[in-house]
Amino acid sequence: MEDPTQIPVLTAEQAESRHYLSGELLETMHLEAQKPPVAQVLSADGTVIYYYDPRHVREAPPENWYQRPAEPLVEPIELEDGKVIGRMSTKRAAALNYYTKERLAQMHYDVVAAPVGYTKRFDRSIIYFYDKSEAIRQPLPCVKCGKDIRYRHKLCRACYEKEMEQRRIEGDAYRNAYYHAKREKTLFFDLELTGVYDHDEILSISVTDGTGKILMDTLVRPTHKRKWRETEKIHGITPEMVVDAPFLKDLTPEIKRLFAGADAIIAYGIATDYSHIKYIYETEAERQKLRRKTKCAAIEYNRYVQEHHPELTHLSLTDAMETLGLSWDGVAHTSIADTIACAKVWEALFPHYYED
């Protein structure tokens, strides 16, 4: 290796005026140097950039196209095990994912490998850098007490259990409160669709109230879609089944009438249903008025699960029915069965929701 102190130090402008190529540029052009660097440039952060004579370069092998050419070490020193490392700035080290032992300890890593570089303090004493990828991750401490190791949600077991107990108390109080809602003015509804996107269309709609009365249960003939093979596998509605069904525009006056008389409109996964039913309203003000009436049974079930069954990860309507010990009326994934199931889930979660 050529002694770096013998390589001329130039400015970047001087190096470029002589048509020298930096190591980074060689990498970009898929070239490699055949001879040592002919100049070095000191960047603002103290990093050394080496430049090479373009007359002594060649195309790099394809397997090396994305590997930077090895650059001479700056002020190399030899460690006790014979390994040679070079000096670098703290900024350069961080860019390579190298840190001091103290910094790695703050990041909860133990150093187990030899240093990969070093820098010097003002008093010329040496500070070593270590490769983070070669360090071992320590068990992280609880973010609340800072004592025991983490168990869940960045908390130790004791802090986690204490927090969960408080959350359960608050959640149960919220669900067991008396809301004095009128059954006749609480509506549940569900849609079956040709797909999950905004441009997809409604294939069926069902609406019931808190008394269990079915207010609407009908197939819907789409205006544009002719096939929906993927969702057909789920809800079982075929194109042939909706040939004689009413269009959504024919049902719109009755849907609007039902929704206008409701105090609350509830669905399991309201975001999807609302994103399709909102188009029966012409103005944004009407849509927002409807939005303010809506409630989501899926969100409420999710909160219940997080407080009482954090081990559960599936939160579908089918999962909610099973967890709460409820039975189905009809075939799951049909709009009427899902509407009735949503009402059952809601009443199981909020046993004192209605005024009676």
Side-chain angles (χ1 to χ4, degrees), residues 190-191 202 204-207 216-218 220 251 255 277 335:
D190 184 72
L191 309 176
I202 297 172
S204 71
I205 178 171
S206 299
V207 183
M216 177 177 288
D217 180 31
T218 179
V220 181
L251 300 169
I255 297 173
I277 202 67
S335 60

Side-chain angles (χ1 to χ4, degrees), residues 39-55:
Q40 57 181 322
V41 173
L42 297 178
S43 63
D45 64 357
T47 304
V48 177
I49 303 174
Y50 291 97
Y51 282 77
Y52 301 82
D53 190 328
R55 295 172 296 178

